[in-house]
Amino acid sequence: MAEKTVIEAIREAMAEEMRRDSSVIVLGEDVGVHGGVFRATDGLYKEFGPNRVIDTPLAESGIVGTAIGASFNGMRPIAEIQFADYIHPAMDQIMNEAAKVRFRTKGAFSCPIVVRAPYGAGIHGGIYHSQSVEALFYHIPGLKIITPCTPYDAKGLLKAAIRDEDPVLYLEHKKTYRRIKGEIPEQDYTVPIGVADIKREGDTISVVTYGMMVHVALGAAEKLVQEGISLEIVDLRTILPLDTETVKRSVKKTNKVIVLYEDTRTGGVGAEISAILAEDLFDHLDGPIVRITAPDTPVPYAPTLEEVFVPNEQHIIEAARKLAHY
Amino acid sequence: MAEKTVIEAIREAMAEEMRRDSSVIVLGEDVGVHGGVFRATDGLYKEFGPNRVIDTPLAESGIVGTAIGASFNGMRPIAEIQFADYIHPAMDQIMNEAAKVRFRTKGAFSCPIVVRAPYGAGIHGGIYHSQSVEALFYHIPGLKIITPCTPYDAKGLLKAAIRDEDPVLYLEHKKTYRRIKGEIPEQDYTVPIGVADIKREGDTISVVTYGMMVHVALGAAEKLVQEGISLEIVDLRTILPLDTETVKRSVKKTNKVIVLYEDTRTGGVGAEISAILAEDLFDHLDGPIVRITAPDTPVPYAPTLEEVFVPNEQHIIEAARKLAHY
Amino acid sequence: MDSAEETAVVESHQNSRHAELGLSDETVVEMYYRLVQARTVDEKMWTLHRQGKIHFIISCRGQEGIQIGSAFALRRGEDFVMPYYRDTGVALVLGMTPRDLMLSVFAREADPASGGRQMPGHFGYPRLRIITGSSPVATQLPQAAGVALASKIKGEAAVTAVYFGDGATSKGDWHEGLNFAGIHKLPVVFICENNGYAISVPQNKQMAIRDIADRAAGYGFPGIIVDGNDVLASYTVTKQAVQRALKGDGPTFIEAKTFRVAPHSSDDDDRRYRSREEVEEWKRRDPIERFKRYLEEVNLLDDSLDQRIREMVLEEVNEAVDFAEKSPLPSREDLMKYVYYNS
Amino acid sequence: MDSAEETAVVESHQNSRHAELGLSDETVVEMYYRLVQARTVDEKMWTLHRQGKIHFIISCRGQEGIQIGSAFALRRGEDFVMPYYRDTGVALVLGMTPRDLMLSVFAREADPASGGRQMPGHFGYPRLRIITGSSPVATQLPQAAGVALASKIKGEAAVTAVYFGDGATSKGDWHEGLNFAGIHKLPVVFICENNGYAISVPQNKQMAIRDIADRAAGYGFPGIIVDGNDVLASYTVTKQAVQRALKGDGPTFIEAKTFRVAPHSSDDDDRRYRSREEVEEWKRRDPIERFKRYLEEVNLLDDSLDQRIREMVLEEVNEAVDFAEKSPLPSREDLMKYVYYNS
Ligand SMILES: Cc1ncc(C[n+]2csc(CCOP(=O)(O)OP(=O)(O)O)c2C)c(N)n1
Ligand SMILES: Cc1ncc(C[n+]2csc(CCOP(=O)(O)OP(=O)(O)O)c2C)c(N)n1
Ligand SMILES: [Mg+2]
Ligand SMILES: [Mg+2]
């Protein structure tokens, strides 16, 4: 076991998979010589050469479209989108092409690609370097979406994604890249897609969340202990498909739930979680399903505004107190 | 008052607004000489000429981008996307540009455009001529989304959209175009954006829905009367921003709710409605918040498959029976 | 008469145009057979649509020249082919059968392209290296670059031929696909069937230039104009492009000037946007009639052979319709299948 | 020295290059002033970043030649201008002040472009007809066509000048924007600042051609190559393009060959992807030094005037920094404002 950062875990996952399987290639803007603007692909160009680590033109739809085509011809491409904020030109290729090709060919074609994209606020990136985009892709049957938050999960899930037969959107919270460290085993492992993880056991309230907010929730949980409020932190890890079993098991135990996401509120991924629980666990709920989210605005640049945009420990603590006494 | 179809209402709204305001222009594929593949713009080219009714190249991002630019220079463009299924290349222009421009300029610039798009299944259009796309745009602060279902609403809301200062996505359910008829006043009127409409009063269960499903729900309601089950049909009309007050008022009365949408289930607009109610009206609910939706698959072409894809009266009747006796 | 590969010269007429191209007599007769087959399949589909038996069809009529000519220059099962929705002719030459196509218009479970999940006109067959196509226009362009990129990485001697219309050239994806292929000198043959219209939008509202082929220079590879109603010319330029690609010299852009003499689809009424004279004028330039005249000139076709071919094709197509009509629709229980690998 | 409009010849040096272009002595000195101003603003921003006072900056350094030269050919407040993030020089000529720009890097409420909502480098000012820009590359291209389309519909004698980098040419939106402008012969001047790199990606990985200007032919309008480090040449080609547009002859594409001598942004380390020799070589071709030499040759500048200009600029920029630093940040309560018209 060695301590690694999230970005190191991601880099290692790609390097190891590329060594294991010659059909794995990487393409994107600045991923080659430069090693990626976040250095996620650092060293890959040197090790695997320009044939397998491809600096593409500035064209996100083209990047994903090329990856899709290569996957039709035996490759397992990993396409990097430099910032999730720039993924939207590729929406059509992802949702109308990659995600639908298995269905529209009755399984004759499949599209085993991974689209990696750094997302998330709190790093002074402003309106176009901070967005959460998961909800915009959450409504696409055929797609899988992964949002890891620890080095262990990041590596294991990326490996699983690369080996997966379906298109995967792999979202990396920029703020976890260098801030979050953790142990990673030396030997090869994967983390299964579609399985949530209880990051902290508790029995007062379940906090269902993912990405950077897992760490914020863990911080809040720490502080709430002394008040006798024990949060159970459910890290979804995969948001599509959702591990409803683990979420429900937790809520059946605590009977109260906070759905927490950094993304803007309306139409966020957490809305689906609320909807599922409000339908399936109605008799188990001892209080309203509380959502803590960013407000419905673009992500602002000025530090004062960004500060009030991103949900923080205090929001969770206050909501938990209220809900605990409901 | 005269009886009109939905498509006639839409055409009239555009023609009247173009007569009223010379800054209103129409652009899109086949909207000029041809009058649109659904004939929504029939006659406009003849009346307003090629300067104001523009046959564009086949380029959805370009269409919306051009409309945005024209709006910066005093126009009020109506951009037609031939099928909602082809709107995704314009996602970036809609979400990163149109919807954010007011915020990112602190109000110095605005983008009063309307993007019209026919959507919805049940017309043998298969995977790429049947999609519901509202959920993919539902998570965009700064955007408004309208989904009318009667000629009266279609006309009044389209006029309101054209006059609105913000970008509006105006979604027209193809199946309503010629099938749904209704009275329309002779004189000019608008229907306010952001206001839901009770299409039928009832007190057993609130059915919150929009688009073609309003008509399906009305049909089910008719049949349930004899069983003593009285559905209140809430037609959202505008889905973004949501008229939460009207929805809540209805649910406070009935204490039971079915959220119904034709779109696929996971991450649909209805999830947000469930989430709001599960948080704000927890104490008013006498049963689970039931969702009736399409399953999480692309829209199939074969009639057998499409039949089981689209929610129908029977689904509503069964769910309502169960919920009524909960 | 069943393989596109038999292009070796067998007893060909000295000095004939096709002999000079290295095409055997047998092959050119087979080309004619394919032209008739494509046209017959198309006509049958219109009939079925008028009879209310099927919901939708999209037509190859008028464009069979470039479709059959170019497809004969591809190596079946070796080269990758990405037809667009109008390419009935391409699909037939590359190995899809009238049965396959009829199963598709009837949306049957046995439809090999989609099992009735997708509208007709969306060809695909992994074994034949026919890559599945979707409806959104031009998405296949970057995908074609990707297929060819994979060939290059694997060191596989395969060319990717990708088809599209004039309207498709306006899309961002078109630009991005050509640009990528140019940069990496990928083995792609871009085949534009310029029929002068994107539904109702005429070429001069689609672009400010006369020859789309001129754009190829902007991507660093040659752009060739060909008369798309001339089967042999279409064959020739495609063959050259394939050879160029196999030599590692990169992509070629082919603009085939042609015309769609039918409405855009069974939902369209083309009288709303173009004159009958224009359509009639192009009908006189029909690629099939023209090729027929050629074969008659070189004494490879007479009325009786023509008759035989037409009967053979018709029988085959009628049999395909019967077969498809009797074939079962997808079963309701299978809706959720094929969304994910293990669904 | 405050207006770009005084381009009439006043006492100009006979036979000088600028006199031939119809530029007064005063104007060319003002051009020099703007060059120094842009450079000084940029340098100051880097300093502020190093001091940890601001989070991010993006640099115009090395590209001031095309920026100032072209902007002088535009009619302030009449023509529409869409600068991209690197266009500090363009913004200054068109009327944004060092104060405006410093308010932006400090993310202050008074920042006229965004009230601190957007990163610096995203210019915009309705009164000056500087159209707001975003970060996603190339989205402004179809928008430029739209702005110009509106001018055409209104019969307004205004040109739209839109700026972008070489990397932007690869995007679908770039293609769609140029195509639309070409079809409708819109009054657009496309100005590509080809600095040879898109962050780390060199031009030969971005496209398979040497001259981007070659692509204009594919859209039906002229493509002009200019030395972007030559202020007067940049002025000239832009002026001609503006005139062409005003005559109703449609768009012009200008490719300005230049170089960014700084890293891509304050987050970038350009030593990872290009040699110091290459950067040094281009530093020797610095557009400001070059223009300075020209002014010295025609006796319009000497050390003392240069000194005065630099002092004036520095004072102005320092004052702007002080002003901006003291100016308040947006207030937390205002977050939800400006999402909708009535929010
Ligand atoms: C992205 C997209 N926009 C719109 C459509 C609707 N549509 C289908 S075919 C077509 C015209 C295509 O014209 P062209 O590329 O010239 O091919 P042709 O049909 O003439 O063969 C249009 C607009 C579509 N399928 N995809
Ligand atoms: C759509 C999109 N993709 C990626 C980025 C990240 N990015 C910002 S600038 C840039 C390079 C742009 O290069 P170029 O157009 O040549 O302009 P330059 O910075 O060289 O002046 C990239 C990749 C972006 N802003 N937008
Ligand atoms: Mg066409
Ligand atoms: Mg550049």
Side-chain angles (χ1 to χ4, degrees):
Chain A
M1 301 281 266
E3 203 184 63
K4 296 275 163 70
T5 62
V6 168
I7 194 90
E8 283 163 349
I10 288 167
R11 192 185 302 137
E12 274 187 19
M14 287 193 278
E16 291 173 16
E17 290 304 294
M18 290 183 82
R19 278 173 216 134
R20 192 186 56 76
D21 178 352
S22 67
S23 70
V24 179
I25 60 172
V26 166
L27 71 169
E29 295 157 15
D30 306 292
V31 300
V33 177
H34 185 292
V37 296
F38 289 103
R39 309 276 194 277
T41 56
D42 201 16
L44 299 185
Y45 185 83
K46 212 165 162 195
E47 182 173 354
F48 303 103
N51 246 344
R52 291 180 63 198
V53 183
I54 302 164
D55 271 323
T56 65
L58 206 170
E60 284 74 12
S61 184
I63 292 169
V64 176
T66 304
I68 293 170
S71 85
F72 292 164
N73 190 4
M75 296 289 117
R76 292 190 166 266
I78 307 171
E80 177 176 308
I81 300 295
Q82 197 159 85
F83 284 86
D85 310 67
Y86 305 132
I87 201 172
H88 310 103
M91 174 57 111
D92 194 40
Q93 288 285 354
I94 294 172
M95 82 92 63
N96 265 336
E97 302 293 325
K100 291 188 172 53
V101 74
R102 181 184 300 285
F103 184 85
R104 80 166 193 242
T105 62
K106 223 187 91 183
F109 285 81
S110 63
C111 183
I113 65 169
V114 178
V115 178
R116 292 179 40 242
Y119 77 107
I123 50 100
H124 305 300
I127 193 167
Y128 295 113
H129 299 85
S130 304
Q131 295 176 56
S132 288
V133 300
E134 60 273 23
L136 294 167
F137 291 87
Y138 194 53
H139 189 62
I140 304 178
L143 186 68
K144 294 177 177 173
I145 308 179
I146 299 177
T147 51
C149 78
T150 66
Y152 180 87
D153 290 344
K155 184 169 181 183
L157 280 163
L158 183 48
K159 287 189 163 221
I162 294 167
R163 298 177 195 182
D164 200 84
E165 296 303 325
D166 292 308
V168 177
L169 179 58
Y170 181 90
L171 295 171
E172 308 165 2
H173 199 296
K174 293 185 284 291
K175 203 166 174 176
T176 67
Y177 271 163
R178 291 177 170 80
R179 272 187 198 75
I180 306 299
K181 301 193 175 81
E183 299 289 314
I184 291 190
E186 304 293 336
Q187 66 280 17
D188 182 48
Y189 72 98
T190 60
V191 170
I193 294 175
V195 181
D197 186 41
I198 307 291
K199 283 283 188 299
R200 179 193 173 108
E201 309 243 357
D203 44 37
T204 320
I205 297 170
S206 301
V207 178
V208 182
T209 189
Y210 58 92
M212 191 60 208
M213 285 298 125
V214 172
H215 302 291
V216 178
L218 286 169
E222 216 46 70
K223 298 195 176 133
L224 282 166
V225 173
Q226 55 228 51
E227 303 180 22
I229 296 173
S230 142
L231 300 185
E232 173 144 311
I233 313 295
V234 184
D235 174 8
L236 292 172
R237 297 199 294 196
T238 301
I239 56 177
L240 190 69
L242 203 65
D243 179 359
T244 49
E245 288 325 303
T246 301
V247 173
K248 287 185 191 171
R249 208 177 311 118
S250 174
V251 176
K252 276 187 192 158
K253 179 174 83 174
T254 61
N255 307 114
K256 287 182 176 172
V257 60
I258 291 173
V259 179
L260 166 67
Y261 49 101
E262 179 193 307
D263 200 355
T264 57
R265 187 181 198 78
T266 299
V269 168
E272 178 66 26
I273 297 160
S274 294
I276 291 170
L277 297 175
E279 179 156 11
D280 297 353
L281 294 196
F282 181 72
D283 293 333
H284 293 271
L285 290 171
D286 287 348
I289 302 175
V290 174
R291 277 193 294 172
I292 302 174
T293 72
D296 285 329
T297 81
V299 188
Y301 181 59
T304 41
L305 299 177
E306 187 173 23
E307 210 179 287
V308 286
F309 177 87
V310 183
N312 59 33
E313 284 186 9
Q314 206 45 43
H315 296 129
I316 302 168
I317 290 170
E318 278 159 29
R321 278 189 193 133
K322 223 171 122 191
L323 186 57
H325 302 115
Y326 189 90
Chain B
M1 299 282 264
E3 204 185 61
K4 296 274 162 71
T5 61
V6 168
I7 194 90
E8 284 164 349
I10 289 168
R11 193 185 302 137
E12 275 186 19
M14 287 192 279
E16 291 174 17
E17 290 303 294
M18 290 183 82
R19 277 173 217 135
R20 193 187 55 79
D21 179 351
S22 68
S23 70
V24 179
I25 60 172
V26 166
L27 71 170
E29 295 156 15
D30 306 291
V31 299
V33 177
H34 184 293
V37 296
F38 288 102
R39 308 277 194 276
T41 56
D42 202 15
L44 299 185
Y45 184 82
K46 214 165 161 195
E47 182 172 353
F48 302 102
N51 247 343
R52 291 180 63 198
V53 184
I54 302 164
D55 272 323
T56 65
L58 205 170
E60 284 74 11
S61 184
I63 292 168
V64 176
T66 304
I68 293 170
S71 84
F72 292 164
N73 189 5
M75 297 287 118
R76 290 189 169 266
I78 307 171
E80 176 176 308
I81 300 295
Q82 196 160 84
F83 285 86
D85 310 67
Y86 306 133
I87 200 172
H88 309 103
M91 173 57 110
D92 194 40
Q93 288 285 357
I94 294 172
M95 81 91 64
N96 265 337
E97 302 292 326
K100 291 188 173 55
V101 75
R102 182 184 300 284
F103 184 87
R104 80 165 192 243
T105 63
K106 223 189 89 182
F109 285 82
S110 63
C111 185
I113 65 168
V114 178
V115 178
R116 293 180 40 243
Y119 77 106
I123 49 100
H124 305 300
I127 192 167
Y128 296 114
H129 299 84
S130 304
Q131 295 176 56
S132 290
V133 300
E134 61 273 22
L136 294 168
F137 292 87
Y138 195 52
H139 189 62
I140 304 178
L143 186 68
K144 295 178 177 172
I145 309 179
I146 299 178
T147 50
C149 78
T150 65
Y152 179 88
D153 290 344
K155 184 168 180 183
L157 280 164
L158 183 48
K159 287 189 161 221
I162 294 167
R163 298 177 196 183
D164 200 83
E165 296 303 325
D166 291 308
V168 177
L169 179 58
Y170 181 90
L171 295 172
E172 309 165 2
H173 200 295
K174 291 186 285 290
K175 203 167 174 175
T176 67
Y177 271 163
R178 291 178 169 78
R179 271 187 198 77
I180 307 298
K181 300 193 174 84
E183 299 289 315
I184 290 191
E186 304 292 336
Q187 66 281 18
D188 182 47
Y189 71 98
T190 60
V191 170
I193 295 175
V195 181
D197 185 42
I198 308 290
K199 283 282 187 299
R200 180 194 173 108
E201 309 243 357
D203 44 37
T204 320
I205 297 169
S206 300
V207 178
V208 182
T209 188
Y210 58 92
M212 189 61 207
M213 285 298 125
V214 172
H215 302 290
V216 178
L218 286 169
E222 220 43 74
K223 299 197 175 132
L224 283 167
V225 172
Q226 56 227 48
E227 303 180 25
I229 296 174
S230 142
L231 300 185
E232 172 144 313
I233 313 294
V234 184
D235 175 9
L236 293 171
R237 298 198 294 196
T238 301
I239 55 176
L240 191 67
L242 202 66
D243 179 0
T244 49
E245 288 324 304
T246 302
V247 174
K248 285 184 192 172
R249 207 176 314 116
S250 175
V251 175
K252 276 186 190 157
K253 180 173 81 174
T254 61
N255 307 115
K256 286 180 177 175
V257 59
I258 290 173
V259 179
L260 166 67
Y261 49 102
E262 178 192 308
D263 200 355
T264 57
R265 186 180 198 81
T266 298
V269 168
E272 179 65 28
I273 297 160
S274 295
I276 291 171
L277 297 175
E279 179 155 11
D280 296 353
L281 294 196
F282 181 72
D283 293 333
H284 293 271
L285 290 170
D286 287 348
I289 303 173
V290 173
R291 277 192 294 172
I292 302 176
T293 72
D296 285 329
T297 79
V299 190
Y301 182 59
T304 40
L305 298 178
E306 188 174 23
E307 209 179 287
V308 287
F309 178 87
V310 183
N312 59 31
E313 283 186 10
Q314 206 45 42
H315 296 128
I316 302 168
I317 290 170
E318 278 159 30
R321 278 188 193 135
K322 224 170 122 192
L323 186 57
H325 302 116
Y326 189 88
Chain C
M1 233 176 255
D2 52 34
S3 158
E5 283 159 21
E6 301 168 32
T7 49
V9 185
V10 188
E11 277 197 336
S12 96
H13 284 64
Q14 295 296 312
N15 304 327
S16 74
R17 213 175 137 208
H18 67 271
E20 273 163 24
L21 295 172
L23 290 172
S24 72
D25 292 351
E26 216 181 346
T27 303
V28 287
V29 175
E30 192 199 333
M31 283 175 158
Y32 182 69
Y33 171 83
R34 291 298 181 191
L35 289 163
V36 173
Q37 191 186 37
R39 179 68 56 93
T40 308
V41 164
D42 182 68
E43 278 166 355
K44 188 50 126 192
M45 287 178 181
W46 282 102
T47 306
L48 291 168
H49 184 264
R50 267 192 306 274
Q51 293 170 339
K53 290 191 173 177
I54 59 176
H55 287 297
F56 179 83
I57 92 130
I58 192 147
S59 183
C60 62
R61 203 177 306 178
Q63 302 182 199
E64 298 93 341
I66 175 65
Q67 292 178 10
I68 272 75
S70 63
F72 264 83
L74 303 173
R75 299 161 313 155
R76 186 153 92 175
E78 276 182 75
D79 292 325
F80 292 94
V81 189
M82 306 179 76
Y84 84 121
Y85 48 76
R86 218 172 275 299
D87 282 326
T88 309
V90 175
L92 287 167
V93 173
L94 270 306
M96 294 193 76
T97 64
R99 272 197 185 188
D100 293 338
L101 303 185
M102 289 302 167
L103 285 165
S104 165
V105 292
F106 280 104
R108 296 314 203 230
E109 178 70 8
D111 153 32
S114 87
R117 268 83 179 155
Q118 178 147 242
M119 274 187 156
H122 296 79
F123 312 101
Y125 216 126
R127 194 174 48 74
L128 300 169
R129 295 202 160 178
I130 299 175
I131 304 280
T132 172
S134 65
S135 305
V137 164
T139 48
Q140 75 271 36
L141 276 302
Q143 292 172 17
V147 173
L149 175 72
S151 292
K152 193 181 167 194
I153 294 173
K154 293 191 284 186
E156 155 189 72
V159 167
T160 299
V162 59
Y163 292 79
F164 49 89
D166 44 305
T169 65
S170 298
K171 288 271 311 178
D173 266 8
W174 182 86
H175 173 67
E176 298 187 8
L178 268 73
N179 192 37
F180 193 91
I183 293 165
H184 294 279
K185 279 188 173 264
L186 298 178
V188 186
V189 183
F190 294 98
I191 302 176
C192 177
E193 300 182 25
N194 181 359
N195 60 13
Y197 286 90
I199 308 186
S200 77
V201 179
Q203 190 182 333
N204 67 355
K205 290 270 178 69
Q206 196 71 238
M207 65 192 80
I209 54 173
R210 197 192 55 190
D211 298 319
I212 307 178
D214 287 353
R215 283 200 180 146
Y219 304 104
F221 50 84
I224 313 286
I225 297 168
V226 71
D227 177 348
N229 285 15
D230 180 338
V231 180
L232 293 181
S234 297
Y235 168 80
T236 310
V237 293
T238 312
K239 185 88 186 172
Q240 284 162 352
V242 167
Q243 277 158 356
R244 191 182 131 81
L246 288 173
K247 267 197 293 172
D249 291 344
T252 302
F253 185 89
I254 295 171
E255 177 189 4
K257 309 272 193 189
T258 183
F259 197 82
R260 137 174 86 71
V261 296
H264 172 74
S265 75
S266 51
D267 287 341
D268 184 38
D269 174 4
D270 65 333
R271 284 165 308 184
R272 291 181 65 86
Y273 54 82
R274 58 186 188 180
S275 73
R276 289 310 87 193
E277 292 69 49
E278 189 184 2
V279 177
E280 288 309 316
E281 164 60 25
W282 275 94
K283 277 190 179 162
R284 279 191 288 277
R285 303 190 216 163
D286 186 63
I288 303 185
E289 284 307 306
R290 193 161 146 189
F291 199 61
K292 183 172 171 228
R293 281 196 301 275
Y294 172 76
L295 291 184
E296 285 165 356
E297 276 163 28
V298 296
N299 292 320
L300 286 173
L301 190 75
D302 57 17
D303 279 0
S304 108
L305 178 58
D306 187 31
Q307 204 50 39
R308 260 184 27 239
I309 288 174
R310 289 180 186 269
E311 275 164 16
M312 211 168 120
V313 165
L314 197 63
E315 195 177 321
E316 192 186 10
V317 171
N318 283 334
E319 185 279 335
V321 171
D322 288 347
F323 177 84
E325 211 169 353
K326 293 200 193 92
S327 179
L329 281 161
S331 92
R332 289 169 177 74
E333 294 70 53
D334 286 349
L335 175 62
M336 299 294 297
K337 277 186 184 169
Y338 312 111
V339 179
Y340 291 100
Y341 177 62
N342 43 16
S343 68
Chain D
M1 234 176 252
D2 53 36
S3 155
E5 283 159 20
E6 301 167 35
T7 49
V9 186
V10 188
E11 278 198 336
S12 95
H13 284 67
Q14 294 296 313
N15 302 327
S16 73
R17 214 176 136 206
H18 66 271
E20 273 161 24
L21 295 172
L23 290 172
S24 71
D25 292 351
E26 217 181 346
T27 304
V28 287
V29 175
E30 192 198 331
M31 284 175 158
Y32 182 68
Y33 171 82
R34 291 297 182 191
L35 290 163
V36 173
Q37 192 186 37
R39 178 69 56 93
T40 309
V41 164
D42 182 69
E43 278 166 357
K44 188 50 120 194
M45 289 178 181
W46 281 102
T47 307
L48 292 168
H49 184 264
R50 266 191 307 273
Q51 293 170 338
K53 290 190 172 177
I54 59 176
H55 287 298
F56 179 83
I57 92 132
I58 194 148
S59 183
C60 63
R61 203 177 307 178
Q63 302 182 199
E64 299 93 341
I66 174 66
Q67 292 177 9
I68 273 73
S70 64
F72 263 84
L74 303 172
R75 299 161 314 156
R76 186 153 91 175
E78 279 182 72
D79 292 327
F80 293 94
V81 189
M82 307 179 77
Y84 84 122
Y85 49 77
R86 217 172 276 300
D87 282 327
T88 308
V90 175
L92 287 168
V93 173
L94 271 306
M96 294 191 77
T97 64
R99 271 196 185 188
D100 294 339
L101 304 185
M102 290 302 167
L103 285 165
S104 165
V105 292
F106 280 103
R108 296 312 202 234
E109 178 69 9
D111 152 32
S114 87
R117 269 83 178 155
Q118 178 145 240
M119 273 186 156
H122 296 80
F123 313 101
Y125 215 126
R127 193 174 49 74
L128 300 169
R129 295 201 159 180
I130 299 175
I131 305 279
T132 172
S134 65
S135 306
V137 165
T139 47
Q140 74 270 36
L141 275 302
Q143 292 173 16
V147 173
L149 175 72
S151 292
K152 193 183 167 193
I153 293 173
K154 292 191 284 186
E156 155 191 72
V159 167
T160 299
V162 59
Y163 291 79
F164 49 89
D166 44 304
T169 66
S170 299
K171 288 272 313 179
D173 266 8
W174 182 86
H175 173 67
E176 298 187 7
L178 267 74
N179 191 37
F180 193 91
I183 293 165
H184 294 279
K185 279 188 174 265
L186 298 177
V188 186
V189 183
F190 295 99
I191 302 176
C192 178
E193 299 182 27
N194 181 358
N195 61 13
Y197 286 89
I199 308 185
S200 77
V201 179
Q203 190 182 335
N204 68 357
K205 290 268 178 69
Q206 195 71 238
M207 64 191 80
I209 54 173
R210 197 193 54 189
D211 298 319
I212 307 178
D214 287 354
R215 283 201 181 147
Y219 304 104
F221 51 84
I224 313 286
I225 298 168
V226 70
D227 177 348
N229 286 14
D230 180 338
V231 179
L232 293 180
S234 297
Y235 168 82
T236 309
V237 294
T238 312
K239 186 89 188 171
Q240 286 161 352
V242 168
Q243 278 158 355
R244 191 181 131 80
L246 288 173
K247 267 196 293 171
D249 292 343
T252 302
F253 185 88
I254 295 171
E255 176 189 5
K257 309 271 192 188
T258 183
F259 197 82
R260 137 174 85 70
V261 295
H264 172 74
S265 75
S266 52
D267 287 342
D268 183 38
D269 175 3
D270 65 333
R271 284 164 308 184
R272 290 180 66 86
Y273 55 81
R274 58 186 188 181
S275 72
R276 288 311 88 193
E277 292 70 48
E278 188 183 4
V279 177
E280 287 309 316
E281 164 59 26
W282 274 95
K283 279 191 179 164
R284 278 191 290 278
R285 304 189 216 164
D286 185 62
I288 304 185
E289 284 306 307
R290 195 162 144 189
F291 198 61
K292 185 173 169 226
R293 282 196 300 275
Y294 172 77
L295 291 183
E296 286 165 354
E297 278 162 27
V298 295
N299 292 319
L300 286 173
L301 190 76
D302 57 16
D303 279 359
S304 109
L305 178 57
D306 187 31
Q307 203 52 36
R308 258 181 32 237
I309 289 174
R310 288 181 187 269
E311 276 163 17
M312 211 169 119
V313 165
L314 197 62
E315 197 177 318
E316 192 186 10
V317 171
N318 283 334
E319 185 279 333
V321 170
D322 287 347
F323 177 84
E325 210 169 353
K326 294 203 192 89
S327 178
L329 281 161
S331 91
R332 289 170 177 73
E333 293 70 54
D334 286 351
L335 174 61
M336 299 294 297
K337 277 187 183 168
Y338 312 111
V339 179
Y340 292 100
Y341 178 62
N342 42 15
S343 66

